[in-house]
Amino acid sequence: MLALIFLLTTVITLYIKILLLYIWMQWTGCDFYNPFLQRAIKITYPIVRPFKRILSVFRPIDIATLAIAYILSVLLVPITLRLLRFEPVFFYFGLVLLIKSVGSLVFWIVMSRAIISWVHREANSLDYVLLQLTEPMMVKIRRFIPLIGGIDCSPMLIILILYLLYFIGLEYVPGWTFF
């Protein structure tokens, strides 16, 4: 039974992250002909399509995709806690889980860009997507902290801010430690 719960939570969590990544790609204006965005569209479109008919797309955030990510987060709470009944507090826990998923996604995208920039020297479609996703955040940080000896400190500062927000959540947000 634990293996099934693990598999189910992993699949739902990955799908939530793909939905959030799709929203982030739309928000930053990624190239729609990029293979990564095309794959995200193929994975998310069958479930998102009926909701897009109901919920119109507001700029700059796709409300239908965000609503599906939130619904999946709410449904993931009783699976993670191994409960057979549904409580109204799961709507709150679903929001907490969604916020933590956004932070985790930002962390891994920034880390991926930093690691690839150290290792990989020739540009490809993955580099281009990571650049389009992270550059709006990094430009704002570079305004205050320029390059130090040719080293860009903006990824480190973004990760430091994410850790700070995580520890603030641990201290002040009820239910933060459950997920």
Side-chain angles (χ1 to χ4, degrees):
M1 186 65 172
L2 288 177
L4 180 64
I5 291 172
F6 170 75
L7 182 64
L8 197 58
T9 56
T10 302
V11 168
I12 293 173
T13 303
L14 285 174
Y15 197 76
I16 289 170
K17 293 224 183 353
I18 290 171
L19 288 169
L20 293 173
L21 182 63
Y22 177 69
I23 293 169
W24 192 6
M25 288 176 160
Q26 283 181 334
W27 181 62
T28 57
C30 281
D31 181 19
F32 272 87
Y33 294 108
N34 193 301
F36 292 103
L37 188 56
Q38 289 293 320
R39 183 71 60 193
I41 291 170
K42 283 183 182 179
I43 292 171
T44 59
Y45 194 69
I47 294 177
V48 172
R49 181 179 38 194
F51 284 89
K52 283 196 180 204
R53 292 179 185 157
I54 299 168
L55 300 170
S56 62
V57 178
F58 296 102
R59 280 277 179 188
I61 297 173
D62 185 359
I63 298 297
T65 309
L66 187 61
I68 292 171
Y70 175 67
I71 290 167
L72 287 174
S73 297
V74 169
L75 294 176
L76 187 62
V77 172
I79 295 170
T80 305
L81 298 176
R82 297 183 192 99
L83 298 174
L84 298 175
R85 64 186 186 282
F86 193 80
E87 302 283 334
V89 74
F90 292 165
F91 291 109
Y92 168 74
F93 286 144
L95 182 64
V96 170
L97 185 63
L98 189 65
I99 291 170
K100 285 181 72 174
S101 294
V102 168
S104 172
L105 182 66
V106 171
F107 172 81
W108 285 111
I109 294 293
V110 169
M111 282 297 291
S112 299
R113 178 173 176 204
I115 291 170
I116 287 177
S117 71
W118 298 334
V119 176
H120 200 268
R121 290 292 173 203
E122 54 187 67
N124 58 24
S125 59
L126 178 62
D127 291 339
Y128 189 62
V129 168
L130 293 175
L131 177 79
Q132 285 182 323
L133 289 173
T134 57
E135 200 59 30
M137 292 182 290
M138 292 185 183
V139 164
K140 292 176 183 173
I141 291 175
R142 283 191 210 115
R143 289 181 192 159
F144 300 106
I145 301 175
L147 297 177
I148 300 172
I151 296 174
D152 185 12
C153 295
S154 57
M156 291 182 282
L157 190 59
I158 289 173
I159 291 171
L160 181 69
I161 291 169
L162 287 172
Y163 271 110
L164 178 71
L165 291 173
Y166 177 78
F167 285 116
I168 288 172
L170 280 176
E171 191 166 343
Y172 295 111
V173 178
W176 193 265
T177 58
F178 289 133
F179 307 103

